[in-house]
Amino acid sequence: MVHIPTPAYGKLILVAALVGAAVFGWWAISPSFIINTVSEPLMEGAGPPVFDSEAQTRGAGGESFTPLTYRAGAFVGLEEHTGQGTVRVINRGSDIVVRFDDDFEVTNGPDLFVYFGNNGSYDARARIGPLKGNKGSQNYVIPGEIDYAKYSEVWIWCRAFRTPFAVAELR
């Protein structure tokens, strides 16, 4: 038997559809005019790093380490999106991180994630994590199951719309 909604149910369905469309619209469009700035130090719990003449870095607690940059690159925007800034793969002592430097900036968007990739294509299996902000310095610890050495690019990818925002070739 087919049930025909009464006018009250019809209005309720219409209101629910309009509210759902408004929420989705805000989620999809609001990142276009919102800037999320991040300012993470290279070492967690440390203030800005202090470099001495022997190329060692001392954190806020006085611990000393020599950061080693394995590879670096510069972001470029893709399609209608802008992207710029330096990205480095760094051994910071206890872990390996993908580091976006202070000059990093990308067009904001919904559901943005950081991935590794090769040959002009991101690898969905090499997800590093959700983008923390579309501007400023930030660190992403590379998950242990990802062999960063086999990748030549870092991607900013929008999962919701399956579109690239920026890519950096690592050298």
Side-chain angles (χ1 to χ4, degrees):
M1 172 179 264
V2 175
H3 175 68
I4 299 173
T6 63
Y9 286 121
K11 288 179 185 177
L12 183 62
I13 291 170
L14 178 61
V15 168
L18 289 173
V19 168
V23 168
F24 175 79
W26 175 255
W27 173 80
I29 295 171
S30 67
S32 299
F33 53 86
I34 294 174
I35 295 175
N36 294 318
T37 302
V38 179
S39 182
E40 289 184 333
L42 179 58
M43 293 296 287
E44 294 175 9
V50 178
F51 296 95
D52 66 24
S53 61
E54 297 172 358
Q56 287 190 335
T57 302
R58 299 195 187 286
E63 70 281 1
S64 171
F65 72 99
T66 303
L68 176 61
T69 299
Y70 292 134
R71 291 187 286 167
F75 279 105
V76 294
L78 297 171
E79 298 182 10
E80 68 277 0
H81 306 105
T82 61
Q84 63 187 27
T86 307
V87 60
R88 297 181 289 150
V89 177
I90 297 177
N91 179 336
R92 65 176 186 183
S94 60
D95 49 26
I96 310 295
V97 297
V98 172
R99 166 83 174 167
F100 296 178
D101 286 338
D102 291 335
D103 61 352
F104 170 74
E105 190 168 350
V106 69
T107 304
N108 206 357
D111 207 25
L112 296 180
F113 277 76
V114 181
Y115 288 87
F116 279 121
N118 280 316
N119 304 317
S121 181
Y122 90 104
D123 183 346
R125 297 164 298 168
R127 183 173 78 193
I128 301 167
L131 187 68
K132 296 175 183 179
N134 67 309
K135 187 175 183 179
S137 59
Q138 41 206 289
N139 305 309
Y140 297 89
V141 175
I142 299 172
E145 65 271 9
I146 296 177
D147 179 7
Y148 65 89
K150 73 179 196 176
Y151 294 103
S152 62
E153 298 162 339
V154 174
W155 286 77
I156 308 297
W157 184 264
C158 175
R159 292 187 321 171
F161 295 105
R162 298 183 197 158
T163 187
F165 273 50
V167 65
E169 184 178 349
L170 299 172
R171 298 177 190 262

